[in-house]
Amino acid sequence: MSGPYVIRGSVALPEAELVWRFSRSSGPGGQHVNTSDSQVELRFDLAKTEALPQVWKDRALERLAGRLADGVLSVRASDHRSQWRNRETAAVRMAALLAEASAPPPKPRRKSRIPRGINERRLREKKQRGDTKRGRSGHDWT
C-alpha cells in the first residue's frame, strides 16, 4: 500500500486492523480475469477499533448502521485489472466513508427575517401590477 490513509486530521486507518480478502473479479481483464484474484474486499471492525476517538466511533456506528454486519464495515473494489490498484481504491473508499460518517453534524440553520422594507416593496409592486391589469379591461372597477 502507498501509506497511511488519513480519515481526518491526524487519524488514519490502522493497517493492523484491516482485513483483506481477494477473489476473482468479473470486471475488465479479458483472459487475465480468469487466472488472477483481482477483486478486493476490505473489512474494518468499527465496533472494536481503538484507533478512532470515541465520539467519531459512535457517530460512525450510528450513521453506518445499515452497512455494518456485526460492527464490521466492508468495502469491495473490482474496478481495475490490477489487484494493487483495487487495494488502493478500496482503502481510499474506506477512509472517505469513515471521514464522512464520523464528521460532526452541520450547524443548525438560523431563520432570517425578511426586512420590512423588502416586504412592503413587494406588496406595493403587486398592487401596481394588479392596477395595471385592471386598467386594461373596459370596465370601470372603482
Side-chain angles (χ1 to χ4, degrees), residues 1 12 17 29 33 35-36 45 47 55 73 77 98 103-104 108 111 140-141:
M1 295 203 5
E17 295 183 25
V33 79
T35 60
S36 66
D45 196 343
V55 178
L73 180 62
L98 288 171
K111 285 186 177 179
D140 188 16
W141 295 100

Side-chain angles (χ1 to χ4, degrees), residues 6-140:
V6 177
I7 296 173
R8 196 169 55 250
S10 62
V11 179
L13 275 175
E15 292 191 34
E17 295 183 25
L18 298 178
V19 178
W20 299 93
R21 200 170 131 235
F22 307 102
S23 59
R24 296 212 173 129
S25 175
S26 63
Q31 293 175 340
H32 171 76
V33 79
N34 298 326
T35 60
S36 66
D37 294 337
S38 61
Q39 178 173 289
V40 173
E41 183 180 354
L42 175 60
R43 298 169 62 85
F44 178 65
D45 196 343
L46 186 58
K48 294 180 183 171
T49 188
E50 297 296 325
L52 297 176
Q54 189 61 38
V55 178
W56 290 17
K57 188 168 143 181
D58 293 341
R59 269 193 224 132
L61 284 169
E62 181 183 332
R63 291 179 183 168
L64 296 173
R67 285 194 62 151
L68 298 176
D70 297 327
V72 177
L73 180 62
S74 173
V75 173
R76 187 172 285 166
S78 61
D79 304 337
H80 307 287
R81 288 180 59 169
S82 157
Q83 184 188 99
W84 178 263
R85 288 182 65 192
N86 283 332
R87 285 178 67 135
E88 293 286 318
T89 303
V92 168
R93 278 188 203 159
M94 177 78 73
L97 198 59
L98 288 171
E100 184 179 334
S102 64
K107 292 181 181 177
R109 183 183 176 277
R110 285 181 45 204
K111 285 186 177 179
S112 58
R113 280 189 58 237
I114 298 174
R116 186 176 168 191
I118 290 177
N119 207 22
E120 288 176 353
R121 183 172 63 225
R122 181 181 62 85
L123 294 173
R124 187 173 56 247
E125 287 172 359
K126 281 181 69 160
K127 186 76 173 161
Q128 287 174 350
R129 185 75 180 149
D131 291 344
T132 302
K133 288 186 172 190
R134 195 176 307 120
R136 290 178 185 156
S137 70
H139 302 290
D140 188 16

